[in-house]
Amino acid sequence: MPDAPWHPEDLESWPLRWVALHLVEECARHAGHADIIRESLDGRTAYELNALADGARRPPLQ
C-alpha cells in the first residue's frame, strides 16, 4: 500500500472484491456528474434523449 493518510495503517493490501466494487462506484459517480453537466449545457434530460434514440418523434412529457 502506498503511504497516504487516508489508508489504514494495518492494511497490507486491498481485497480484489473491494477494488472491483470501488471502481464500479467511482465510474457510476463520475458518469452521473458528466450527465448533470451535459443536462445543464443542452437542457435535455436522459429520458428525452433515450426516447429520441429509440425513434420517438418527440420527447415524452414530464
Side-chain angles (χ1 to χ4, degrees), residues 20-57:
L21 290 175
H22 184 70
L23 287 174
V24 169
E25 176 188 17
E26 287 296 316
C27 288
R29 178 178 293 130
H30 292 297
H33 291 159
D35 197 44
I36 291 169
I37 293 169
R38 185 209 39 81
E39 285 179 9
S40 68
L41 292 175
D42 69 7
R44 300 263 177 136
T45 65
Y47 297 112
E48 291 175 300
L49 295 174
N50 285 335
L52 292 172
D54 288 340
R57 294 182 153 225

